[in-house]
Amino acid sequence: VAEGEPGEGREPFELPRFWDALGQTFQVTSQEATKLSLAFSRPPLPSAEDCQKLSEDVQKAVLAVATVYYWLPKGQGTTLRKMVRDATTEVVEGMIQLTDTILNATVESLSQEQLISTGGVWEACEQVSNLPRDNQAAVVSALAACLGVVKDAVEEMEHALVEGQDPYGDIMEDEELGFRGNRDTYWSEADRQLLGSCMGLMKASKACLKKVLAAVKAHGKADSPEQIAQLDDLADIANEISPSVDELALSMYPPVNPLAVRLNAAKLASVLKKVLEIAKTSHVCPLSEEGWVQFLTGAVDHNMNKVKNFTQGQL
């Protein structure tokens, strides 16, 4: 049987039943972590027979968590499945850490490390209630996370580009190091013109994610394999925006290498065009949404052309 696919003879997959089962296995695992921790919290230590029973119960709980995760078919959405997998992995790793902490304890009393490890398992098990319930909700969550990271990057670069601002002012004492006026630590006027267009691309990235997120919230569905696949495609390409924004931002710090800036700007522009194209051809973008797709496509092209013009004679 392929990973995560229903086996022959198994009942048709139902998301509500899956969530009930996953919630139960996470709860049982949390309870087993508590039992294990309490058993080793004070003398006398459990007998060999009790240890055997404790370890078997922990193993059963962890195997049940993993088994239920594998019930979730890939057809329900790779974005959703990754989030469930990450939550499952945290529970399993938490139990491993708790067991290691108990095995390596040198005193017969409840240590701070054991308390922290037990709390870590509880926290990991409680995550099940916060997981998105279908692929539409999972993609909304993924896009919102991407948007948060890009917003931070845009704000940081806007702050650094304030007129007269030394981009390294918070980490360099110019008087002591004697770098004031050094072109390696300051932007020239030509640099600032180029970086203005780069900022245009970064702001277009933020706008693009905001609009796609709103469209997925308003129109996104996870009722058919085609809809689920389209949502996954959007999440996958949107995940490339943040790293591309970061690479462009890093290349914008002095000393500015125009070729590096142009290459990173072109990479970001390409990713944004793909996001907009995938959104436009998917179910999240009815005719009412096509206006902003066209506008943002034009904004990306406009700023990229300006970057090309500013770097034309410097390459």
Side-chain angles (χ1 to χ4, degrees), residues 236-272:
D236 288 345
I237 188 64
N239 272 332
E240 295 182 28
I241 294 179
S242 175
S244 300
V245 165
D246 286 343
E247 285 176 28
L248 176 58
L250 283 172
S251 68
M252 288 163 67
Y253 280 93
V256 174
N257 178 334
L259 176 59
V261 170
R262 180 167 171 166
L263 288 173
N264 285 319
K267 181 182 175 185
L268 175 58
S270 173
V271 170
L272 293 177

Side-chain angles (χ1 to χ4, degrees), residues 76-306:
Q76 289 294 323
T78 55
T79 310
L80 176 65
R81 205 163 186 268
K82 182 181 184 305
M83 290 181 180
V84 176
R85 184 185 70 216
D86 289 347
T88 303
T89 301
E90 270 197 56
V91 171
V92 176
E93 289 179 346
M95 285 298 283
I96 292 170
Q97 185 180 348
L98 174 58
T99 307
D100 280 343
T101 301
I102 291 170
L103 287 172
N104 295 323
T106 54
V107 290
E108 295 180 8
S109 62
L110 192 61
S111 67
Q112 185 67 19
E113 289 79 10
Q114 188 174 327
L115 278 171
I116 292 170
S117 296
T118 308
V121 177
W122 292 342
E123 197 175 321
C125 290
E126 285 166 9
Q127 275 193 60
V128 71
S129 60
N130 299 322
L131 286 170
R133 266 20 197 185
D134 62 20
N135 208 47
Q136 188 262 358
V139 171
V140 164
S141 175
L143 290 172
C146 292
L147 177 58
V149 175
V150 169
K151 270 183 178 175
D152 289 345
V154 171
E155 285 171 15
E156 186 179 322
M157 187 51 68
E158 280 181 325
H159 179 70
L161 276 168
V162 170
E163 193 62 41
Q165 171 107 8
D166 173 6
Y168 297 110
D170 58 343
I171 57 171
M172 282 189 178
E173 290 292 335
D174 293 335
E175 290 79 5
E176 292 179 16
L177 298 176
F179 281 159
R180 186 163 293 285
N182 187 332
R183 278 293 305 281
D184 284 354
T185 61
Y186 287 82
W187 284 301
S188 67
E189 190 50 44
D191 290 339
R192 287 186 176 277
Q193 285 186 320
L194 169 60
L195 301 191
S197 302
C198 293
M199 279 305 304
L201 273 178
M202 290 176 70
K203 288 177 180 176
S205 304
K206 186 173 81 169
C208 183
L209 281 167
K210 279 180 74 172
K211 288 293 190 180
V212 171
L213 175 58
V216 172
K217 281 182 178 177
H219 308 293
K221 290 187 172 70
D223 300 330
S224 71
E226 184 182 17
Q227 291 169 341
I228 289 170
Q230 287 175 350
L231 289 171
D232 282 332
D233 286 344
L234 265 178
D236 288 345
I237 188 64
N239 272 332
E240 295 182 28
I241 294 179
S242 175
S244 300
V245 165
D246 286 343
E247 285 176 28
L248 176 58
L250 283 172
S251 68
M252 288 163 67
Y253 280 93
V256 174
N257 178 334
L259 176 59
V261 170
R262 180 167 171 166
L263 288 173
N264 285 319
K267 181 182 175 185
L268 175 58
S270 173
V271 170
L272 293 177
K273 295 283 282 289
K274 281 184 195 170
V275 171
L276 293 166
E277 184 58 36
I278 289 171
K280 184 180 178 182
T281 56
S282 77
H283 71 281
V284 307
C285 194
L287 286 174
S288 60
E289 301 283 343
E290 285 192 359
W292 63 261
V293 174
Q294 291 175 353
F295 174 80
L296 286 173
T297 301
V300 171
D301 287 337
H302 173 72
N303 283 293
M304 190 59 224
N305 285 333
K306 284 172 73 175

Side-chain angles (χ1 to χ4, degrees), residues 28-29 32 35-36 40 48-64 95 99:
V28 169
T29 304
E32 290 303 328
K35 277 168 53 180
L36 182 65
F40 289 90
E49 190 179 334
D50 288 339
C51 285
Q52 178 73 19
K53 177 72 167 61
L54 281 166
S55 64
E56 285 176 0
D57 288 346
V58 166
Q59 187 178 21
K60 280 180 191 172
V62 170
L63 284 173
M95 285 298 283
T99 307

